[in-house]
Amino acid sequence: MKSTYFSLIVGAFLALGTTSCEDKLDIAQKGVLDYSSFYQTDEQAQNAADALYIQLKSTYYNYTMLKSSLSDDVWAGGGGRNDNSELEGCNEFSFGTDQSFIGGVWESYYSLIYKANVILGHITPDSDAKKKAIAEAKFFRAFAYFDLISLWGEVPLVDHELTSSEYQIKKSPTADLWQLVEKDLNDAISSGMLEEKKDANDNTVWRVTKQIAQTYLGKAYLWQEKYTEAADVLNEVRSSKKYALYQGDYQNILTYIAEGNCESMLESNRILDMSNAWDEFSFFEVMNHWRMDKLEASNTEWYKYKETGWGFMVPQKSLYDAFVNEEGKDGYRLNQTIKTYDQMTQLGVKLKKGSSIINEGYFLWKRRFSSSEAPIIFWCSYNNYRWMRYAEVLLLAAEANLKAGNQTLADECLNEVRTRAKLPYKKADMDAIKLEKRLELCCEYTRYQDIIRWKDAEALLKNQGEKTPMLINTAKVGEADNVIVEYKNYNTDKNRYGFKSKHYLLPIPAKEMRLNPNMVQNEGWGAKE
């Protein structure tokens, strides 16, 4: 009996003790909101939508570097061979399924889709603010899927928050993916909740507008060869007169001087905070700017800091030659887009004696980086990120109208851009549109997806990577400068470089292949890694 009684007493105390401990450990988390308490108010809905813009902004570096390096606009560049082997691999088409920029862009797009799906799954459209958040979420989901389809082809269709049983899903047919893009954009446009500018000169609107959504819908139609639908919606954007071509100095069109101008369709805002340089930490500008540690600059605007640029994404001679063939060496747009080495020396910038950089003697001017836009430290530019300009709308419309049989409108759209470039009237045909789009939007991340869908990529890029151009100053200290271009053969195996048929679709990232047993790799890229 004593033993039984003692056991009961001990058991009671243990139970009491356990309950007491559980009560003490049952502490509400602070600073954490779950779905049951968030996404309820207008302010919370806007905060959730703001997160989409933040996610978009964080995508910019990988987005721009990947798309630029895959094109025939640029050389990967840098101070020398293997300065950034990942970018060289993209530029020379020697990359594999574990390429970091490809994986980074893939993950960024699905992060954007996830944030959009959270909004669409948890916000009830019972106020204008919430309806607006839903419309913006649909735009951003379509934005992400446009690139996923055009770069990878068939990919997983994720139109809701996934449960744990859904994480390993298969690819969906491109027809189903395009259907989602069209529906999302049409829903966003017809909602009446997207902002609109008062007129072309209204620079107070920075969120996604109805016209931006219409433009992406027009692009989606064009990529599917739905030419009449594309022409109709792109013509509506043009007729709205909410955007216009920038009429200031063309050389400033992508600089901080012209932020939020009448031509800018979509920008990511960046703020100058003198008390906190890390808020606008970005390597984008300095990665793309001239290789200043190997250059001498008499003008402190270009050389305020020890290193203001690392010389990646430098113009190819073929791009410069395309400008000259169309505009002449004194072309207005050419000389505000690209500078030759001789022009750079006249501006006070020249290659140091005994130095070399990957370059054919051409420097991107419209993307130049000046110390004025980075008053804190060299990697802290406050220039806004640019995603789309109205010139692209006009050139998309020119192509859509041409294919839809609207020659007059195609001519008007093409020549509106050419007039700003101080070029004579030209009848629109596909050759003229392709050329104009290359020149006007060079190094603005549209070229690669264009030559992919036009099926021009293999012919244009088949030898890219065979040679690497080196700009060399062979002079020693005390000698007169002697700057020459030499082409180095670093890749002797033809199979190691150049665009091949498999490159019409990027590989599914190796990480995705490892984690998802239901994923099938794109043709030509081998088995799972």
Side-chain angles (χ1 to χ4, degrees), residues 245-261:
L245 294 179
Y246 177 65
Q247 297 301 321
D249 286 342
Y250 187 82
Q251 64 179 352
N252 294 329
I253 199 166
L254 297 178
T255 70
Y256 72 100
I257 296 170
E259 289 179 345
N261 67 71

Side-chain angles (χ1 to χ4, degrees), residues 235 238 391 393-395 397-399 401 408-418:
N235 290 339
R238 182 169 178 247
V393 178
L394 291 173
L395 294 170
E399 182 178 352
N401 279 296
T408 299
L409 286 174
D411 291 345
E412 289 178 4
C413 292
L414 174 67
N415 286 289
E416 193 170 336
V417 178
R418 287 178 61 81

Side-chain angles (χ1 to χ4, degrees), residues 3 9 18 28 37 45 98 133 149 169 208 224 248-249 253 260 287 297 312 367 379 383 387 424 433 476 482 519 521:
S3 175
I9 293 293
T18 303
S37 58
D98 58 351
I149 301 166
I169 60 177
V208 170
Q224 298 174 79
D249 286 342
I253 199 166
M287 280 290 284
F312 291 95
R367 274 280 184 213
W379 42 253
N383 186 16
W387 298 90
I433 292 168
K476 298 177 182 179
N482 182 36
M519 182 64 70
Q521 184 56 273

Side-chain angles (χ1 to χ4, degrees), residues 78-79 286 288-299 302-312 314 340-342 344-345 348-359 361-365 369 471-473 481 483:
V286 291
N288 285 269
H289 189 55
W290 322 319
R291 187 75 190 205
M292 293 305 297
D293 64 330
K294 297 193 175 185
L295 296 169
E296 296 176 350
S298 58
N299 186 339
W302 313 124
Y303 203 51
K304 178 180 178 181
Y305 307 111
K306 182 179 179 181
E307 294 180 356
T308 52
W310 294 319
F312 291 95
V314 296
T340 65
Y341 182 76
D342 287 344
M344 293 295 287
T345 59
V349 179
K350 62 180 182 178
L351 191 62
K352 293 178 180 177
K353 291 179 172 62
S355 294
S356 64
I357 54 177
I358 297 178
N359 194 299
Y362 305 100
F363 295 77
L364 192 60
W365 185 255
F369 168 78
L471 189 68
I472 304 169
N473 189 345
D481 287 329
V483 178

Side-chain angles (χ1 to χ4, degrees), residues 259-297:
E259 289 179 345
N261 67 71
C262 61
E263 186 167 346
S264 181
M265 300 288 290
L266 184 60
E267 289 189 12
S268 289
N269 288 334
R270 304 178 71 206
I271 301 169
L272 173 63
D273 183 354
M274 295 295 288
S275 65
N276 188 359
W278 293 95
D279 275 357
E280 290 305 331
F281 178 84
S282 172
F283 280 141
F284 170 75
E285 285 83 3
V286 291
M287 280 290 284
N288 285 269
H289 189 55
W290 322 319
R291 187 75 190 205
M292 293 305 297
D293 64 330
K294 297 193 175 185
L295 296 169
E296 296 176 350

